[in-house]
Amino acid sequence: MRKFFSNEAGKDDIPLWLDWTNKHWCSYFFAEMSALAYHDGTRVKRELKQIGFNNYKFLENDGAQCHIFNDSENLVIAFRGTEPNQFSDVKADLLAFKRKARTEGKVHLGFKIELRKLWSDISALIEKKKKLQLWICGHSLGGAMATLCASRLEDRSPMLYTYGSPKVGGKEFVDGCEVQHYRYCNNNDIVPSVPLWLMGYRHHGELQYINYYGNVRKLTVWQKFKDSMRGRWKALRKFQLFDGIYDHSIANYANKLKIIWEQNNK
C-alpha cells in the first residue's frame, strides 16, 4: 500500500512539516494529494487526519469527485482524475467540443460538465471560509477540473497545481484566466498533448517540465526532443511499450517531486 505524505529522508519518524511558502514542498504535497484523491473518502480522511487536517469533506456526484479540507489558514480542493472503469470519466474525456465558459472564452464540454456536477456544493462550502488561502490541485481529468474551478474563483487568488493535465480551453479562456498555475508535465506523458492544438485548444499555466533525469527544466524544442528520446529508449529497454502512459502515473510525479523537494531543502 502506498504511503502518502512521507517526510524527507531520515525524518520519517516526525510529523510532516506543512511548508506552504516553499514551492518545492507545495509541488510534492499537491502531487501526493492528487494521488490520494483517487481513493474514497474514508481513506482520504484517515490520511489527512494523520497530518493534522480534521476539517474534511468528500463530494461525489455521478462519478465526479473532489476532496475539500482546511486548517486555520489554508483550504485545499483536490479533484480526482480519470478512472478508466468509470464511464462518466471516459465520456468526459471524449466530449472535446468547446462551449462557452462561465468566465471568458470557450472550454472543453466534457470537463465543464464534470465540474458542474460538484459546483454548487463546492461554492457553498468555500463561501463560509472566505478568509482562507485557497489551493486547488488535480491529476489528469482532475487537473482539467481544477483549472476550470480555479478560473471561476479567480477573485479568491487561488494557487493552482496540476499534473499531467490535458488542455482545457481555447486562447481566449487561457488569456483571460489570471490564476497562478504551476502545470507539471513528466517527460513523455501523453495526456498533456490532448486535445489537439489544431482543435483550437491551448494550455494554461506555467509549464514545469520534468525531464528524463527527474529535474524541472525549461528546454528548447531540440532539447525537448532529445530528452523525449532518452525517455523512450529507456522505456524500450525495460519493455515498457507505452512510455507516454507510464509517465502519466501520478505516483511517478509525486516520487520525482519529492526528490526535488529534498534536494532543495538541504
Side-chain angles (χ1 to χ4, degrees):
M1 181 181 293
R2 178 178 173 80
K3 181 179 180 182
F4 294 94
F5 307 118
S6 57
N7 221 327
E8 296 174 80
K11 298 181 181 179
D12 290 335
D13 57 335
I14 62 176
L16 179 69
W17 175 254
L18 303 179
D19 193 358
W20 301 97
T21 61
N22 184 326
K23 176 188 171 183
H24 299 295
W25 177 85
C26 286
S27 299
Y28 160 66
F29 178 80
F30 292 115
E32 284 281 43
M33 190 58 232
S34 297
L36 183 58
Y38 282 91
H39 292 271
D40 61 26
T42 302
R43 171 76 186 277
V44 176
K45 183 177 182 180
R46 182 173 70 248
E47 294 284 349
L48 290 175
K49 191 172 183 179
Q50 291 178 357
I51 58 172
F53 292 101
N54 296 309
N55 297 317
Y56 167 77
K57 185 72 173 179
F58 176 53
L59 301 180
E60 181 176 24
N61 182 17
D62 190 26
Q65 297 176 356
C66 78
H67 308 264
I68 301 180
F69 58 97
N70 69 276
D71 58 16
S72 60
E73 297 181 352
N74 302 279
L75 185 148
V76 177
I77 305 174
F79 290 90
R80 176 182 61 76
T82 303
E83 291 277 25
N85 61 349
Q86 284 277 351
F87 176 72
S88 61
D89 290 3
V90 177
K91 181 180 177 182
D93 291 338
L94 293 176
L95 287 176
F97 313 104
K98 291 201 295 293
R99 293 292 183 268
K100 182 72 175 71
R102 277 203 179 192
T103 52
E104 296 182 50
K106 294 183 178 182
V107 296
H108 188 289
L109 175 60
F111 304 155
K112 180 180 179 181
I113 290 173
E114 288 302 290
L115 179 61
R116 181 191 301 160
K117 296 175 183 178
L118 303 171
W119 183 247
S120 60
D121 289 332
I122 293 173
S123 299
L125 279 171
I126 67 173
E127 180 66 22
K128 303 171 185 176
K129 302 176 180 181
K130 289 185 175 180
K131 294 183 179 180
L132 303 184
Q133 172 61 50
L134 189 58
W135 306 80
I136 307 175
C137 66
H139 167 253
S140 195
L141 168 62
M145 295 171 68
T147 302
L148 287 177
C149 179
S151 72
R152 295 183 183 186
L153 298 171
E154 190 175 307
D155 61 332
R156 290 281 301 266
S157 300
M159 297 293 291
L160 175 61
Y161 285 78
T162 63
Y163 307 87
S165 175
K167 303 179 187 75
V168 173
K171 185 177 185 301
E172 186 178 351
F173 168 78
V174 169
D175 292 345
C177 182
E178 297 182 359
V179 170
Q180 183 66 56
H181 179 186
Y182 296 102
R183 179 176 63 82
Y184 283 86
C185 176
N186 179 33
N187 196 232
N188 289 320
D189 187 344
I190 193 172
V191 173
S193 65
V194 298
L196 299 177
W197 186 87
L198 291 174
M199 297 171 67
Y201 282 92
R202 303 291 184 271
H203 268 301
H204 178 268
E206 181 182 342
L207 174 61
Q208 309 290 308
Y209 175 74
I210 305 173
N211 69 9
Y212 167 80
Y213 300 105
N215 302 310
V216 175
R217 293 287 186 266
K218 290 184 178 180
L219 305 179
T220 64
V221 174
W222 173 240
Q223 289 172 325
K224 174 70 168 60
F225 172 76
K226 291 193 297 181
D227 192 66
S228 174
M229 294 309 296
R230 290 188 192 103
R232 289 191 170 92
W233 175 240
K234 181 180 180 181
L236 285 173
R237 285 187 295 167
K238 291 184 174 181
F239 300 102
Q240 295 169 347
L241 301 181
F242 302 100
D243 186 42
I245 297 175
Y246 177 79
D247 282 351
H248 185 58
S249 165
I250 185 58
N252 289 336
Y253 278 92
N255 292 338
K256 290 182 177 182
L257 290 170
K258 184 185 180 186
I259 293 172
I260 292 174
W261 166 48
E262 290 176 337
Q263 291 174 339
N264 284 273
N265 204 37
K266 292 180 180 179

